[in-house]
Amino acid sequence: MILPLTLMFCALLAPATPVSATREMPDSSVSLHEDSSVVLPQEAEDTANFVVSIERLTVHRGRILDTLDITLESGGNLLAALDLRLALESRFVEILEILPGEILDSCSWEFFNAQAEEGSVRENYPRSLWHVVALAELIPDETRPHCYGIGRRASLLRLVISSEHVDLVPDGTAAIFFFWESCSDNSIAGVTGNMLSLSAKLYDYYPVGDYESDALFPTRLGAPEQCIDPSVKNPPRRCIEFHNGGVEFLLQLLPDSTHSESTSPP
């Protein structure tokens, strides 16, 4: 069923809340943590028209069974398809499933597919890997989606995550990050079908392993320069800013009367 979306990309290229938790999402007024790094795949000429962010959750007590949002800020730009590949290395956290977010549900997109793939059995791959494809309109007809985006930051996907498969989770972080094994990974297609958006910037907030080799793929550092052929009629553009996220486990003993809390930045 994903064949129409795959052909379009090829043509263009030629739960329960934890006992105590704090949520963080990237914001233009919020600085990166001191131990964060900014990775630029290459000098990007285009302005970031899309910002795709994985939520960051700090768990202060106990194991976790919760959801993390992957959000989109589109700046008023419309999108009709997306292809995302997500990775996780920590053995203390599992992605149980990936669900459509507010944008896909509210806009009544026709196609959504999220599948777990083999990860650690392959060289230079993380332990866990997921591939998500969504399409506003699967077959052109008179039935159209309600919208092609929302004029504010909203969730694209919801990741159901858990650490209940382990008895004890030590203090530390579990990064969830974007991963590339082809040029079409982590891309957004516009409504007209003649423009494909690729990575322009990539931000880390938690330590992420090194999966690089002499080959172009796989990589976690964004779409390589070879993914853009300026000689084609409508070459892809670098205009997506990616923010990796994940979970930080930080033991904080609290009185039994303390209730769950979840906060967001202003």
Side-chain angles (χ1 to χ4, degrees), residues 33 44 83 190 210 257:
H33 295 174
D83 186 328
D210 181 11
S257 60

Side-chain angles (χ1 to χ4, degrees), residues 58-72:
T58 301
V59 179
H60 299 294
R61 184 180 177 187
R63 295 195 295 260
I64 183 174
L65 176 59
D66 207 341
T67 58
L68 289 185
D69 281 347
I70 296 184
T71 63
L72 171 72

Side-chain angles (χ1 to χ4, degrees), residues 59-256:
V59 179
H60 299 294
R61 184 180 177 187
R63 295 195 295 260
I64 183 174
L65 176 59
D66 207 341
T67 58
L68 289 185
D69 281 347
I70 296 184
T71 63
L72 171 72
E73 296 173 75
S74 64
N77 297 287
L78 303 181
L79 66 156
L82 60 90
D83 186 328
L84 300 179
R85 196 174 298 274
L86 304 163
L88 172 66
E89 183 60 48
S90 172
R91 66 181 182 88
F92 297 110
V93 175
E94 297 284 358
I95 298 176
L96 301 182
E97 64 177 321
I98 298 180
L99 307 172
E102 180 187 5
I103 294 175
L104 307 187
D105 280 341
S106 298
C107 293
S108 297
W109 279 29
E110 291 186 358
F111 179 80
F112 176 83
N113 187 299
Q115 291 186 335
E117 300 183 339
E118 291 185 343
S120 58
V121 297
R122 293 182 283 178
E123 186 178 0
N124 296 319
Y125 273 78
R127 186 181 63 84
S128 175
L129 198 62
W130 282 74
H131 187 208
V132 182
V133 174
L135 186 62
E137 191 173 10
L138 185 61
I139 301 176
D141 54 25
E142 294 182 358
T143 302
R144 297 296 177 88
H146 297 311
C147 52
Y148 298 93
I150 299 177
R152 56 177 169 79
R153 183 169 67 193
S155 65
L156 273 176
L157 308 173
R158 305 206 76 191
L159 277 58
V160 181
I161 62 172
S162 171
S163 66
E164 295 190 336
H165 60 288
V166 294
D167 294 329
L168 179 65
V169 180
D171 284 3
T173 60
I176 300 175
F177 51 97
F178 297 98
F179 198 74
W180 283 258
E181 61 177 25
S182 73
C183 289
S184 63
D185 286 340
N186 303 307
S187 59
I188 293 174
V191 175
T192 61
N194 62 3
M195 193 202 59
L196 189 68
S197 298
L198 302 181
S199 56
K201 297 180 181 180
L202 179 65
Y203 293 84
D204 287 334
Y205 294 83
Y206 303 138
V208 180
D210 181 11
Y211 304 99
E212 308 312 306
S213 66
D214 293 335
L216 291 178
F217 298 106
T219 180
R220 71 166 201 86
L221 300 181
E225 183 179 358
Q226 289 84 345
C227 289
I228 298 179
D229 182 358
S231 66
V232 302
K233 182 178 180 181
N234 295 302
R237 297 177 58 229
R238 291 195 180 276
C239 51
I240 309 177
E241 180 177 302
F242 287 102
H243 292 255
N244 290 325
V247 182
E248 179 178 11
F249 293 95
L250 186 62
L251 180 62
Q252 180 178 327
L253 298 178
L254 301 173
D256 293 339

Side-chain angles (χ1 to χ4, degrees), residues 32-47:
L32 299 181
H33 295 174
E34 290 183 0
D35 59 351
S36 300
S37 62
V38 179
V39 181
L40 300 177
Q42 68 179 59
E43 188 67 24
E45 298 179 356
D46 299 310
T47 302

